[in-house]
Every structure is written in structure tokens, then in C-alpha cells.
Amino acid sequence: MKPAKQLYPLLENPRNIVITMHQKPDGDAMGSALGLYHFLKSIGNTVAVISPTNWAKFLDWMPGCEDVLDYEFHTQNCNQLVNSADMLFCLDFNSMHRTKKMETLLLGVKCVKVLLDHHEQPMEEHFDYGVSDILKSSTCEIVYDFIVRSPFADRLNLVMATCIYTGIMTDTGSFRFPIVKADTHKAVAHLKELGLQHSIIHENIYDNFLENKLRFLGNALLHRLELIYEYNTALMVIPKRDIIKYDIQTGDTEGLVNYLLMMEGIKLGALLIDRNEERKWSFRSKGDFDVNEMARLYFEGGGHKNAAGGRSSASLEENAIRFKEVIKQYEDQLI
Ligand code: 5GP
Ligand code: MN
């Protein structure tokens, strides 16, 4: 994989470009895809953004979101777009299986492939160009660098700034995670100079609960949380009946796992949710405990040192039992 800056000369001539991101895109995946979308369009390219699946409603306000195609709903159109693209950008994922049903399509396509990502252990062999930097707060920060270091830096505008800020804010837990650096704040200062309205973005993303979601949260904290004090671990298991009872939609469980680490002394938080197609794990840790490693080894997943995800086709009960066995192997690091 060559450095992304070697791509700039290729951008001088307009092309057909497709941008995609991981399934169930979060603020960073959607923000980086849309920030890059507006930028590449501004320099004359024809650009399509494809999400492998649907996304949370709280992202719909983002400029350009109305143009994003859901692969599961527009499969034929998306296949055509990808197959006729000159260039494909893959944003905010490190392994192709995170694009779900698009995986085979993306692996087979012959155009120039570019990766912009900040997860650990990326599959660089699939890409011609890219940036994979685990020290960056977010893919949005990588997109920001990609734009401002390009010969087209003057195209950066408020619309792009709005998209980019969204992902930096969501992936850094509103600037509180250790990954935030002076560079992150400098980037945001620059975005502010372009007229960024950060408090409106914060409201759009976070202050959007409906009553059912708040009651779901209350129920989860009261009835679905188990504390395993011997291992400084909190485990929350959400059964399908809660999802149905509280009408929980894509994105409604975002942030739930963070409550587990709010407890003093808890080093590892694990959230297990029964989704239609699989059991979905979210892991968060404080300090040195590496959830990326644990998710890779035991839960078909990965991510970052302090935030990772995973999945399983086994039942909720089997997963919870397995998790309690797995943490015993990490006793030294957890107590
Ligand atoms: P979340 O718990 O919010 O779904 O994911 C936490 C972090 O881990 C995010 O950065 C997400 O992109 C990443 N992640 C989630 N699931 C997976 C997975 O299955 N594989 C990899 N490599 N990363 C994941
Ligand atoms: Mn990200």
C-alpha cells in the first residue's frame, strides 16, 4: 500500500469514485465518507457513497446523507457503481468482512483501491494506496489531513468541516479519550474558523432520545447489568425481548457500553446484544487492558486497544458463559 499522498496527482483528472465504509456506520464512518464525498465532488469527480447496511437515524441530518445508498436496498445499482468505478475509497474499517454483503464485490473489483482507517491490523494487501494510522483519533481526522495536505486544500468548507467534526467528536467520546492530541484540537480549531457550529452538531447526535430509548436504558441498567467484581468487569446482556419491547432501532444502543466504565474500579465493560442476524459484542476498557486482542482471539472481532467489537452465532447464554471463562485467562491484567 503506497502512501495516500501519492494519490494526489491521480485526482487532477476527474473520475468515477465510490466511497464505502463499515456496516452500520457510526458518526466517524458516515462523517469521513461524507466529508470526503463533498471534497472529491468539489474537485470535479463523480462520487457515490455506499453504506453496506442501514444506519442510525441520528446521522440523517448530515449534509449529503440523503445521497448515501444502502447496499441492501439498492444492490443492483450499487454493484454497477462499484464495477464501473475508477477508484474505490474504503473508510473506517480494517477488514473486508466488516462490509458484510459487499465483501466479495469489493475484493473482486479491479479499480484503484484506497484505504483510510485507524483500526489495528488492517488488511493492507487489498489496497493500492492509503493511510492506516492507529494513532489518529478517527478516520475523520485522517480525511482532514488528506484534504489539507492536498493541492486542493482551499476547497475545505463548512459542509466538509461539519461532517469531519462529527466523526472526530463521536470517536473521541467528545474529546476525552487518550488518543486525542494537540493535532486533533488544532484540526478542530481550523474547522471552527470555517464557521463550524459544534454545539448544534452535539445536539443533533446526542440529544435525540425518544421516551422508549430512555426507558430501555433504565431497564438495561437496572435489570441487565452484572458486575463481576473479582475481575473488575461489568457485563450487560440485552435479550431480544427488550429490543422488541422498547422498539430499539439501529443506533439506539450506541453509547450504552460506555455506562459500564463509569463505575469506579471497573476496567473492562462488555455489552452483548441479541441482534437478528448475530450476537453482537462491544468491549471497552480503561488503561492497559487490550480489548482488541481479546476480541480478535475469542469473539471474531477487533478494533482498538480500548474499544473493540465482535460477534458470534452462538446463543446469548453460551456467549455470556464463554465471556466469563475468557476473562479468567486475563486475571493478571484485570485485578
Ligand atoms: P462498537 O463496540 O462501537 O461496535 O465498536 C468499537 C470499535 O471497534 C469501533 O472502532 C469499531 O469500528 C470496531 N469494531 C467493531 N466491531 C469490529 C469487528 O468485528 N472487527 C474489527 N476489526 N473492528 C470492530
Ligand atoms: Mn472510527
Side-chain angles (χ1 to χ4, degrees), residues 92-148:
D92 202 37
F93 62 85
N94 56 351
S95 103
M96 287 293 191
H97 81 257
R98 299 210 65 215
T99 62
K100 284 232 146 164
K101 293 177 187 152
M102 289 180 74
E103 180 175 5
T104 322
L105 173 72
L106 297 183
L107 286 173
V109 72
K110 289 283 172 281
C111 68
V112 175
K113 292 188 201 167
V114 187
L115 174 71
L116 302 178
D117 181 48
H118 67 133
H119 292 89
E120 309 236 1
Q121 293 125 334
M123 294 165 76
E124 292 192 15
E125 65 276 15
H126 295 306
F127 295 93
D128 303 297
Y129 299 90
V131 177
S132 165
D133 188 350
I134 61 164
L135 298 177
K136 284 288 170 187
S137 68
S138 52
T139 303
C140 277
E141 199 181 329
I142 294 174
V143 167
Y144 169 83
D145 291 344
F146 182 72
I147 295 174
V148 297

Coordinates of all heavy atoms in Angstrom, one line a residue, residues 92-148:
D92 N -12.7 3.7 7.4 CA -13.1 3.3 8.8 C -13.3 1.9 9.1 O -14.1 1.5 9.9 CB -14.3 4.2 9.3 CG -14.3 4.3 10.8 OD1 -13.3 4.4 11.5 OD2 -15.4 4.2 11.4
F93 N -12.6 1.0 8.3 CA -12.6 -0.4 8.7 C -11.3 -1.0 8.2 O -10.6 -0.6 7.3 CB -13.8 -1.2 8.1 CG -13.9 -1.2 6.6 CD1 -13.2 -2.2 5.8 CD2 -14.7 -0.3 5.9 CE1 -13.3 -2.2 4.5 CE2 -14.8 -0.3 4.5 CZ -14.1 -1.3 3.8
N94 N -10.9 -2.1 8.9 CA -9.6 -2.7 8.7 C -9.8 -4.1 8.1 O -8.8 -4.7 7.7 CB -8.8 -2.8 10.0 CG -9.6 -3.6 11.0 OD1 -10.8 -3.9 10.9 ND2 -8.9 -3.9 12.1
S95 N -11.0 -4.6 8.0 CA -11.1 -6.0 7.4 C -12.4 -6.0 6.6 O -13.4 -5.5 7.0 CB -11.0 -7.0 8.5 OG -12.3 -7.5 8.7
M96 N -12.3 -6.6 5.4 CA -13.4 -6.6 4.4 C -14.7 -7.2 5.0 O -15.8 -6.8 4.5 CB -13.0 -7.2 3.1 CG -11.9 -6.5 2.4 SD -12.7 -4.9 1.7 CE -11.4 -4.4 0.6
H97 N -14.6 -8.1 5.9 CA -15.8 -8.7 6.4 C -16.7 -7.7 7.1 O -17.9 -7.9 7.3 CB -15.6 -10.0 7.2 CG -15.2 -9.7 8.7 ND1 -14.0 -9.8 9.1 CD2 -16.0 -9.3 9.7 CE1 -14.0 -9.5 10.4 NE2 -15.2 -9.2 10.8
R98 N -16.2 -6.5 7.4 CA -17.0 -5.5 8.1 C -17.9 -4.8 7.1 O -18.7 -3.9 7.4 CB -16.1 -4.5 8.8 CG -15.4 -5.2 10.0 CD -15.1 -4.3 11.1 NE -16.3 -3.9 11.8 CZ -16.5 -2.7 12.4 NH1 -15.5 -1.8 12.3 NH2 -17.6 -2.4 12.9
T99 N -17.8 -5.2 5.8 CA -18.7 -4.6 4.8 C -19.8 -5.6 4.4 O -20.5 -5.4 3.5 CB -18.0 -4.2 3.5 OG1 -17.4 -5.4 2.9 CG2 -16.9 -3.2 3.8
K100 N -19.9 -6.7 5.3 CA -21.0 -7.7 5.1 C -21.2 -8.2 3.7 O -20.3 -8.7 3.2 CB -22.3 -7.0 5.6 CG -22.3 -7.0 7.1 CD -23.6 -7.6 7.6 CE -23.4 -8.2 8.9 NZ -24.6 -8.5 9.6
K101 N -22.4 -7.9 3.1 CA -22.7 -8.5 1.8 C -21.9 -7.9 0.7 O -21.9 -8.3 -0.4 CB -24.2 -8.3 1.5 CG -25.0 -9.2 2.4 CD -26.5 -8.9 2.2 CE -27.3 -9.6 3.2 NZ -28.6 -9.0 3.4
M102 N -21.1 -6.8 1.0 CA -20.3 -6.2 -0.1 C -18.9 -6.8 -0.2 O -18.2 -6.4 -1.1 CB -20.2 -4.7 0.2 CG -21.4 -3.8 0.0 SD -21.1 -2.1 0.3 CE -20.2 -1.6 -1.1
E103 N -18.6 -7.7 0.8 CA -17.2 -8.1 0.9 C -16.7 -8.7 -0.5 O -15.7 -8.3 -1.0 CB -17.1 -9.2 2.0 CG -15.7 -9.7 2.1 CD -15.5 -10.7 3.3 OE1 -16.5 -11.0 4.0 OE2 -14.4 -11.1 3.6
T104 N -17.5 -9.7 -1.0 CA -17.0 -10.3 -2.3 C -16.8 -9.3 -3.4 O -15.9 -9.4 -4.2 CB -18.0 -11.4 -2.7 OG1 -18.5 -12.0 -1.5 CG2 -17.4 -12.5 -3.6
L105 N -17.8 -8.4 -3.5 CA -17.8 -7.4 -4.6 C -16.5 -6.6 -4.4 O -15.8 -6.3 -5.4 CB -19.0 -6.5 -4.4 CG -19.1 -5.3 -5.3 CD1 -19.4 -5.7 -6.7 CD2 -20.2 -4.3 -4.8
L106 N -16.2 -6.1 -3.2 CA -15.1 -5.2 -3.0 C -13.8 -6.0 -3.2 O -12.8 -5.4 -3.8 CB -15.1 -4.6 -1.6 CG -16.3 -3.8 -1.3 CD1 -16.2 -3.2 0.1 CD2 -16.5 -2.6 -2.3
L107 N -13.7 -7.2 -2.8 CA -12.5 -8.0 -3.0 C -12.2 -8.2 -4.5 O -11.1 -8.2 -5.0 CB -12.6 -9.3 -2.3 CG -12.4 -9.3 -0.8 CD1 -12.7 -10.6 -0.2 CD2 -11.0 -8.7 -0.4
G108 N -13.3 -8.3 -5.3 CA -13.1 -8.7 -6.7 C -12.8 -7.5 -7.6 O -12.3 -7.6 -8.7
V109 N -13.2 -6.3 -7.2 CA -13.2 -5.1 -8.1 C -11.7 -4.8 -8.4 O -10.8 -4.9 -7.6 CB -13.9 -3.9 -7.5 CG1 -13.2 -3.4 -6.3 CG2 -14.2 -2.9 -8.5
K110 N -11.5 -4.3 -9.7 CA -10.1 -4.2 -10.2 C -9.6 -2.7 -10.2 O -8.5 -2.5 -10.5 CB -10.0 -4.7 -11.6 CG -10.1 -6.2 -11.7 CD -8.8 -6.9 -11.3 CE -9.0 -8.4 -11.2 NZ -9.6 -8.9 -10.0
C111 N -10.4 -1.8 -9.8 CA -10.0 -0.4 -9.9 C -9.0 0.0 -8.8 O -8.6 -0.9 -8.0 CB -11.3 0.5 -9.7 SG -12.0 0.5 -8.1
V112 N -8.6 1.2 -8.8 CA -7.6 1.7 -7.8 C -8.3 1.7 -6.4 O -9.4 2.3 -6.3 CB -7.1 3.1 -8.1 CG1 -6.3 3.7 -7.0 CG2 -6.4 3.1 -9.4
K113 N -7.7 1.0 -5.4 CA -8.4 0.9 -4.1 C -7.6 1.7 -3.0 O -6.4 1.5 -3.0 CB -8.5 -0.5 -3.7 CG -9.4 -1.4 -4.5 CD -9.6 -2.7 -3.9 CE -10.1 -3.7 -4.9 NZ -10.0 -5.1 -4.4
V114 N -8.3 2.5 -2.3 CA -7.7 3.3 -1.3 C -8.3 3.0 0.1 O -9.5 3.0 0.3 CB -7.9 4.8 -1.6 CG1 -7.1 5.7 -0.7 CG2 -7.6 5.1 -3.1
L115 N -7.4 2.9 1.1 CA -7.9 2.7 2.5 C -7.6 3.9 3.3 O -6.4 4.4 3.3 CB -7.1 1.5 3.1 CG -7.4 1.2 4.6 CD1 -8.8 0.7 4.8 CD2 -6.4 0.2 5.1
L116 N -8.5 4.5 4.0 CA -8.3 5.5 5.0 C -8.9 5.0 6.3 O -10.1 4.8 6.5 CB -8.9 6.8 4.7 CG -8.5 7.5 3.3 CD1 -9.2 8.8 3.1 CD2 -7.0 7.7 3.3
D117 N -8.0 4.7 7.3 CA -8.5 4.0 8.5 C -7.6 4.1 9.7 O -6.4 4.5 9.6 CB -8.7 2.5 8.2 CG -9.2 1.7 9.4 OD1 -10.2 2.1 10.0 OD2 -8.6 0.7 9.7
H118 N -8.1 3.9 10.9 CA -7.3 4.0 12.1 C -7.5 2.8 13.0 O -7.2 2.9 14.2 CB -7.7 5.3 12.8 CG -9.1 5.3 13.4 ND1 -9.4 5.7 14.7 CD2 -10.3 5.0 12.9 CE1 -10.7 5.6 14.9 NE2 -11.2 5.2 13.8
H119 N -7.9 1.6 12.5 CA -8.0 0.4 13.3 C -6.7 -0.3 13.3 O -5.9 -0.2 12.4 CB -9.2 -0.5 12.8 CG -10.5 0.1 13.1 ND1 -11.1 1.0 12.1 CD2 -11.4 0.1 14.1 CE1 -12.3 1.3 12.6 NE2 -12.5 0.8 13.8
E120 N -6.6 -1.2 14.3 CA -5.4 -2.0 14.4 C -5.4 -3.1 13.3 O -6.4 -3.6 12.9 CB -5.3 -2.7 15.7 CG -5.4 -1.7 16.9 CD -4.3 -1.7 17.8 OE1 -3.3 -2.5 17.6 OE2 -4.3 -0.9 18.8
Q121 N -4.2 -3.6 12.9 CA -4.0 -4.7 12.0 C -4.9 -4.7 10.7 O -5.7 -5.5 10.5 CB -4.3 -6.0 12.7 CG -3.3 -6.3 13.8 CD -3.9 -6.5 15.2 OE1 -4.9 -6.1 15.5 NE2 -3.1 -7.2 16.0
P122 N -4.7 -3.6 9.9 CA -5.5 -3.5 8.7 C -5.1 -4.5 7.6 O -3.9 -5.0 7.6 CB -5.3 -2.1 8.2 CG -3.9 -1.8 8.7 CD -3.7 -2.6 10.0
M123 N -6.0 -4.9 6.7 CA -5.6 -5.8 5.6 C -5.0 -4.9 4.4 O -5.7 -4.7 3.4 CB -6.9 -6.5 5.1 CG -7.4 -7.5 6.1 SD -9.1 -8.1 5.8 CE -8.8 -9.2 4.5
E124 N -3.8 -4.4 4.6 CA -3.2 -3.5 3.7 C -3.1 -4.1 2.3 O -3.0 -3.4 1.3 CB -1.9 -3.0 4.2 CG -2.0 -2.1 5.4 CD -0.8 -1.3 5.7 OE1 0.1 -1.3 4.9 OE2 -0.7 -0.8 6.8
E125 N -2.9 -5.5 2.2 CA -2.6 -6.1 1.0 C -3.7 -5.9 -0.1 O -3.5 -6.1 -1.3 CB -2.4 -7.6 1.2 CG -3.5 -8.5 1.7 CD -3.7 -8.4 3.2 OE1 -3.1 -7.5 3.9 OE2 -4.5 -9.2 3.7
H126 N -4.9 -5.5 0.4 CA -6.0 -5.3 -0.6 C -6.0 -3.9 -1.2 O -6.9 -3.6 -2.1 CB -7.4 -5.5 0.1 CG -7.6 -6.9 0.6 ND1 -7.5 -8.0 -0.3 CD2 -7.9 -7.4 1.8 CE1 -7.7 -9.1 0.4 NE2 -8.0 -8.7 1.7
F127 N -5.1 -3.1 -0.8 CA -5.2 -1.7 -1.2 C -3.9 -1.2 -2.0 O -2.8 -1.6 -1.7 CB -5.5 -0.8 0.0 CG -6.8 -1.1 0.6 CD1 -6.9 -2.0 1.7 CD2 -7.9 -0.5 0.2 CE1 -8.1 -2.3 2.2 CE2 -9.2 -0.8 0.7 CZ -9.3 -1.7 1.7
D128 N -4.2 -0.3 -2.9 CA -3.1 0.3 -3.7 C -2.5 1.5 -2.9 O -1.3 1.7 -3.0 CB -3.6 0.8 -5.1 CG -4.2 -0.4 -5.8 OD1 -3.5 -1.3 -6.1 OD2 -5.5 -0.3 -6.1
Y129 N -3.3 2.3 -2.3 CA -2.9 3.5 -1.6 C -3.6 3.5 -0.3 O -4.7 2.9 -0.1 CB -3.3 4.8 -2.4 CG -2.7 4.9 -3.8 CD1 -3.3 4.3 -4.9 CD2 -1.4 5.5 -3.9 CE1 -2.7 4.4 -6.1 CE2 -0.9 5.6 -5.2 CZ -1.5 5.1 -6.3 OH -0.9 5.2 -7.5
G130 N -3.1 4.4 0.6 CA -3.9 4.5 1.8 C -3.1 5.1 3.0 O -1.9 5.3 3.0
V131 N -3.9 5.4 4.0 CA -3.4 5.7 5.3 C -4.0 4.8 6.3 O -5.2 4.6 6.3 CB -3.8 7.2 5.7 CG1 -3.3 7.5 7.1 CG2 -3.3 8.2 4.7
S132 N -3.2 4.2 7.2 CA -3.7 3.4 8.2 C -2.9 3.8 9.5 O -1.7 3.4 9.6 CB -3.5 1.9 7.9 OG -3.7 1.1 9.1
D133 N -3.5 4.6 10.3 CA -2.8 5.2 11.4 C -3.5 5.0 12.7 O -4.5 5.7 12.9 CB -2.5 6.7 11.1 CG -1.6 7.3 12.1 OD1 -1.3 6.6 13.1 OD2 -1.1 8.4 11.9
I134 N -3.1 4.1 13.5 CA -3.8 3.8 14.8 C -3.6 4.9 15.8 O -4.3 4.9 16.8 CB -3.4 2.4 15.4 CG1 -1.9 2.4 15.8 CG2 -3.8 1.3 14.5 CD1 -1.6 1.3 16.7
L135 N -2.7 5.8 15.5 CA -2.5 6.9 16.5 C -3.5 8.1 16.2 O -3.5 9.1 16.9 CB -1.1 7.4 16.4 CG 0.0 6.3 16.8 CD1 1.4 6.8 16.7 CD2 -0.3 5.9 18.2
K136 N -4.2 8.0 15.1 CA -5.2 9.1 14.8 C -6.5 8.8 15.5 O -7.0 7.7 15.7 CB -5.5 9.1 13.3 CG -4.3 9.8 12.5 CD -4.3 11.3 12.8 CE -3.0 11.9 12.2 NZ -2.9 13.3 12.6
S137 N -7.1 9.9 16.0 CA -8.3 9.8 16.8 C -9.5 9.2 16.0 O -10.4 8.5 16.6 CB -8.8 11.2 17.2 OG -9.2 11.9 16.1
S138 N -9.5 9.3 14.7 CA -10.7 9.0 14.0 C -10.3 8.9 12.5 O -9.3 9.6 12.1 CB -11.8 10.0 14.2 OG -11.2 11.3 13.9
T139 N -11.1 8.3 11.7 CA -10.9 8.4 10.2 C -11.2 9.8 9.8 O -10.6 10.2 8.8 CB -11.8 7.3 9.5 OG1 -11.5 6.0 10.1 CG2 -11.6 7.3 8.0
C140 N -12.1 10.5 10.4 CA -12.4 11.9 10.1 C -11.1 12.7 10.2 O -10.9 13.6 9.3 CB -13.5 12.5 10.9 SG -15.1 12.0 10.3
E141 N -10.3 12.5 11.2 CA -9.1 13.3 11.3 C -8.1 12.9 10.1 O -7.4 13.8 9.6 CB -8.4 13.0 12.7 CG -7.4 14.1 13.0 CD -6.7 13.9 14.4 OE1 -7.3 13.3 15.3 OE2 -5.5 14.4 14.5
I142 N -8.1 11.7 9.7 CA -7.3 11.3 8.6 C -7.8 11.9 7.3 O -7.0 12.4 6.5 CB -7.3 9.7 8.4 CG1 -6.6 9.1 9.7 CG2 -6.7 9.3 7.2 CD1 -6.6 7.6 9.8
V143 N -9.1 12.0 7.2 CA -9.7 12.7 6.0 C -9.3 14.2 6.0 O -9.0 14.8 5.0 CB -11.2 12.5 5.9 CG1 -11.9 13.5 4.9 CG2 -11.5 11.1 5.5
Y144 N -9.4 14.8 7.2 CA -9.0 16.2 7.3 C -7.6 16.4 6.8 O -7.3 17.2 6.0 CB -9.1 16.6 8.8 CG -8.5 18.0 9.1 CD1 -9.2 19.2 8.8 CD2 -7.2 18.1 9.6 CE1 -8.6 20.4 9.0 CE2 -6.6 19.3 9.8 CZ -7.3 20.5 9.5 OH -6.7 21.7 9.7
D145 N -6.6 15.5 7.3 CA -5.2 15.6 6.9 C -5.1 15.4 5.4 O -4.3 16.1 4.7 CB -4.4 14.5 7.6 CG -4.2 14.8 9.1 OD1 -4.5 15.9 9.5 OD2 -3.8 13.8 9.8
F146 N -5.9 14.5 4.9 CA -5.8 14.2 3.4 C -6.2 15.4 2.6 O -5.6 15.7 1.6 CB -6.8 13.0 3.1 CG -6.7 12.6 1.7 CD1 -5.7 11.9 1.2 CD2 -7.8 12.8 0.9 CE1 -5.6 11.5 -0.2 CE2 -7.8 12.4 -0.5 CZ -6.7 11.8 -1.0
I147 N -7.2 16.1 3.1 CA -7.6 17.3 2.4 C -6.6 18.5 2.5 O -6.2 19.1 1.5 CB -9.0 17.8 2.9 CG1 -10.1 16.7 2.5 CG2 -9.4 19.1 2.3 CD1 -11.5 16.9 3.1
V148 N -6.2 18.8 3.8 CA -5.4 20.0 4.0 C -4.0 19.8 3.4 O -3.3 20.8 3.2 CB -5.4 20.5 5.4 CG1 -6.8 20.9 5.9 CG2 -4.8 19.4 6.4

